[in-house]
Amino acid sequence: MRHFFALFCLFSTAISSGQAPGLIRGLVADESGAPIPGVNIILKSDNRIGTISNIEGVFEIGLPAGPDVLVFSHVQYASREIAVNVQQGQAQSLTVRLVSQNTQLDEVEVIGQPERDALDPAAKIDAIAAKNLPSASGDFSKVLVTLPGVAANNELSSAYNVRGGNFDENLVYVNDIPVYRPFLSTPGRQEGLSFVNTDLVKDISFYAGGWESKYGDKLSSSLNILYKEPEDYHGSLNFGLLGGSAYIGNRVSERIKYLFGARHSDTRYLLGTLETKGQYLPSYTDAQAFFTFDLSQRGQQVNRTKLNWLLAYGRNRYLTLPESQTTDFGSVSQTLRVQTAFEGRELLNYDTYQTGLNFSHKWTNRFLTRVIASGVQTTEKEFYNVEGAYRICDVDNNPGSNSFNDCVVTRGVGTNFSYGRNNLDAIVLNLELRNEFLLNDWVLLEGGAGFIQNKIEDELNEYAYLDSAGFVINPSDPTTNILRSVFNQLDLTTRTYTGYLQSTIFSTDSVFALNVGARINYMDYTNETLISPRVIYRYKPNWTRETSFRVSMGKYSQTPFYRELRDLDGNIRSSVKAQQSTHLIAGMERIFQWWGRPFLFTSEAYYKSVKNVIPYDIDNVRLRYFAENNAKAFAYGVDLRLNGEFIKGSQSWFSLGILKTMEDLEQDEKDYIRRPSDQRINLAFFFEDHMPNDPSVRVYVNSIFGSGYPLGPPNEINARNIFSGDEFFRVDIGFSKSLELKNNKYLKILWLRAEILNALGADNTLSYSWIQDISGNQLAIPNSLSARFLNFRIAADF
């Protein structure tokens, strides 16, 4: 929003009359057109005449008549001189673009003061830090987990939940084009990488709630990514034990820019550290292209008519031949062991094609239109046929015994069998019109309409049974339902129509800003019309330390996708309605100096009330819905984040999230219970350091701690989520050395990198498998995540 406002401010003022001597109004922007606040602007012939661009990048300066030169300077950008010729009593418009630079002071990289638009509730993430963050998968989503309010307990998956929501409640945009994640994956290790390619990212904005009306309809969060629009030729190559990537970008001409990126992930070595031993053959490959076209006519303003075109293809081929698994669990006084031998295989294939166009045109200096069209086509196949024979025994945990650490008493033996042949074909089409109109210098009006069509063809064919201690549990027993058999087909086409209207009002002294709007949503399948009003208010007093306060409230709705329509037995429920949530958020931001360096502290307290809740249980990373609007829920908590230069020349941040989320089901005999995503405490940090006398040697630390998620035995509604699982704790450390290749014609910098993943060897639990012994006792068998792993990478920039 602030970008549109800034661009409009540049051309909104009429030519002044009778002003002497002369006036220049303008906008200072970076390579992509984003406004730059805090740019020093002085007259070269008389440095007593000058000004500074405001938070929208806009400036105004009175100059004596005649030719002269304006000098534009900023700590993060290369200085630039612009020749001007001021006419007596006239006003002129000027657009200035500055090019980013990395400045070295005493061999330390200096990164500028954190810049914030206090009306925008988004958390900003440094794109370079996101690329350098060490993680098991190297996936972009792992940087989100370092933010307060964002939780995930699986390093192999790109799924995350926000402030008590679930994996399906998050919007993701790339240059305002919606993108999607796979639908069928059950274990996180099957997913591959998320859509966002860190090599191509320029800017990251993450909304954990309270976003504006112009963004879409989900309950929890919105992630907005901007891809680069390169000004010159550059690229990189990156190879490691777990895969690699490559990208190239260039400006072909004044009107055409391009980015090409490709990634390949092969985590077989990392999966070899899991408790389940066998042959892992994972392979994920994707390719993306992003084009920028300036379609403006000759002599017109740059990018008056602009087109962004995004193309992407993702290919996943996952095959596992499990062989054996040994799991110890229990307590210090009593240790149990499950030994399992497997036969069979798991196979997941998917091919996803995505494309999107973002066309913008400035009809006048005050009126801008965007047309966004996108499409996704995915074909996914999940085939598995696995039989396991297991033994449960008591383990001798007496160090002085001759049978120490051996099985001494067998509690039971049995087999389990799972079979699935699931196919999904989906096509998702989006069309959206957005308009922005500047009524005057301080009021921006925005409105638009959209259309979404989902076409889903889904075939579900799966069953499983458990044979414990020589007998098969009776499938007709409603308290167990351990044998599960589902076969049905879904052919569904839904259409959703949306619209929004919002206005943003700025005070002339920039002390306050107000955004008021509403969003309307109609889905033909549910025959519901939903209206979602939203308000954001910002107050920024003129204090010595830059401080702002913000309050936002609004309604957010989420219409059901195909998965919400399937119940726990796979049957289709056509009566499901949209879930609706009300957000109330109060926040504060302060920029201050610490150790002579800038820091940004943000804090938010929030409350969310959710009605028409569709309850669900989590099966690894797949959500199994009850397919009924038979619950209500709430969530409240506090999010704190501090980021800045803890070590001079490097960006780091610390985050703390405290959450409580509960739900009340109609059919159980209880009041409110914990929701499956109720992680009470989430503490994370990303820390970067370098050698005092050699900034080319750097270390990166990514650490996450999360309290346990709730759990309970399956198919027992009154025992649902009554236990608390184990805490999740993980530390990933990366070391890098950069070598500047001054005499190389093609390469600029060579990077050598080593990563210690799960450096402390934490035995984290992803989920629990429940086994019933011959006495009828339910035993929760933990499924552990990856162990410590040493990864090596080499990269080259050109």
Side-chain angles (χ1 to χ4, degrees), residues 237-386:
L237 297 171
N238 183 357
F239 301 96
L241 295 179
L242 301 179
S245 65
Y247 91 96
I248 187 173
N250 196 8
R251 182 175 188 140
V252 178
S253 66
E254 289 296 319
R255 294 179 174 270
I256 302 176
K257 307 173 186 178
Y258 70 82
L259 281 175
F260 291 108
R263 298 177 295 173
H264 179 73
S265 174
D266 187 340
T267 56
R268 69 183 66 188
Y269 299 122
L270 181 63
L271 296 179
T273 68
L274 298 176
E275 286 185 343
T276 301
K277 304 303 179 184
Q279 298 183 49
Y280 291 94
L281 301 172
S283 176
Y284 175 86
T285 304
D286 79 352
Q288 297 183 21
F290 184 70
F291 300 94
T292 302
F293 302 96
D294 183 357
L295 305 179
S296 308
Q297 296 181 6
R298 297 288 182 183
Q300 289 185 337
Q301 174 195 351
V302 174
N303 287 330
R304 177 169 184 173
T305 304
K306 179 180 175 181
L307 177 67
N308 288 132
W309 184 18
L310 175 66
L311 290 164
Y313 167 67
R315 178 183 184 273
N316 189 22
R317 298 294 183 268
Y318 175 87
L319 174 64
T320 297
L321 303 174
E323 296 174 356
S324 64
Q325 177 177 341
T326 299
T327 303
D328 290 348
F329 64 103
S331 62
V332 176
S333 60
Q334 183 181 36
T335 302
L336 302 178
R337 176 175 296 162
V338 176
Q339 297 172 313
T340 309
F342 295 103
E343 183 176 351
R345 69 174 188 169
E346 299 176 2
L347 175 68
L348 175 71
N349 294 343
Y350 71 72
D351 294 272
T352 301
Y353 304 84
Q354 302 194 48
T355 187
L357 297 170
N358 187 335
F359 174 84
S360 64
H361 178 72
K362 295 175 183 148
W363 300 97
T364 69
N365 292 338
R366 292 177 176 267
F367 184 34
L368 180 143
T369 294
R370 290 182 181 274
V371 178
I372 303 167
S374 65
V376 178
Q377 193 274 328
T378 183
T379 300
E380 303 182 20
K381 300 180 183 296
E382 180 189 39
F383 296 166
Y384 58 88
N385 186 359
V386 179

Side-chain angles (χ1 to χ4, degrees), residues 553-786:
M553 62 187 70
K555 294 187 66 175
Y556 299 83
S557 61
Q558 181 167 332
T559 54
F561 200 53
Y562 88 99
R563 286 204 288 194
E564 289 96 318
L565 303 176
R566 287 194 183 277
D567 64 16
L568 296 176
D569 297 323
N571 301 313
I572 305 301
R573 303 283 186 90
S574 59
S575 60
V576 177
K577 300 296 184 181
Q579 302 178 86
Q580 300 178 51
S581 176
T582 300
H583 295 193
L584 178 60
I585 303 170
M588 187 269 290
E589 296 174 351
R590 169 169 287 191
I591 296 176
F592 61 95
Q593 295 289 319
W594 199 7
W595 303 316
R597 297 187 291 273
F599 284 81
L600 173 64
F601 174 73
T602 61
S603 62
E604 284 191 342
Y606 60 89
Y607 176 83
K608 296 198 299 185
S609 173
V610 192
K611 66 178 183 178
N612 290 343
V613 173
I614 307 173
Y616 62 91
D617 288 328
I618 301 178
D619 180 10
N620 205 305
V621 296
R622 179 181 292 182
L623 304 179
R624 298 196 180 274
Y625 290 92
F626 288 25
E628 293 183 84
N629 299 100
N630 61 348
K632 55 185 178 180
F634 68 84
Y636 61 83
V638 176
D639 289 342
L640 307 173
R641 183 176 183 233
L642 176 65
N643 70 288
E645 297 183 29
F646 289 89
I647 302 298
K648 190 175 182 179
S650 60
Q651 286 289 323
S652 305
W653 60 83
F654 292 78
S655 301
L656 173 64
I658 301 174
L659 163 75
K660 182 177 182 179
T661 180
M662 311 281 282
E663 65 184 7
D664 182 16
L665 275 68
E666 293 178 357
Q667 70 264 43
D668 65 9
E669 300 174 358
K670 296 187 172 185
D671 195 9
Y672 281 92
I673 64 172
R674 297 178 66 186
R675 301 197 78 189
S677 55
D678 184 34
Q679 187 175 62
R680 297 294 172 88
I681 298 176
N682 183 274
L683 176 65
F685 67 83
F686 170 72
F687 189 80
E688 180 181 347
D689 197 0
H690 56 77
M691 294 289 289
N693 299 319
D694 188 1
S696 68
V697 179
R698 293 183 173 266
V699 59
Y700 311 90
V701 181
N702 172 28
S703 179
I704 299 171
F705 170 82
S707 57
Y709 286 106
L711 71 147
N715 308 310
E716 295 186 17
I717 192 67
N718 290 312
R720 185 170 174 264
N721 296 339
I722 62 173
F723 304 114
S724 183
D726 294 333
E727 295 83 3
F728 180 87
F729 177 62
R730 184 178 178 90
V731 177
D732 297 322
I733 303 176
F735 303 89
S736 70
K737 168 66 177 178
S738 61
L739 303 172
E740 188 175 355
L741 306 177
K742 296 182 179 180
N743 299 322
N744 192 290
K745 183 178 180 180
Y746 302 102
L747 302 180
K748 296 179 180 178
I749 300 177
L750 184 68
W751 296 84
L752 304 177
R753 181 157 175 155
E755 296 176 335
I756 307 175
L757 306 177
N758 194 6
L760 301 183
D763 185 16
N764 291 312
T765 299
L766 169 63
S767 61
Y768 294 84
S769 300
W770 293 83
I771 294 179
Q772 187 172 346
D773 64 17
I774 194 171
S775 301
N777 299 316
Q778 292 269 23
L779 302 177
I781 314 300
N783 299 311
S784 297
L785 289 162
S786 60

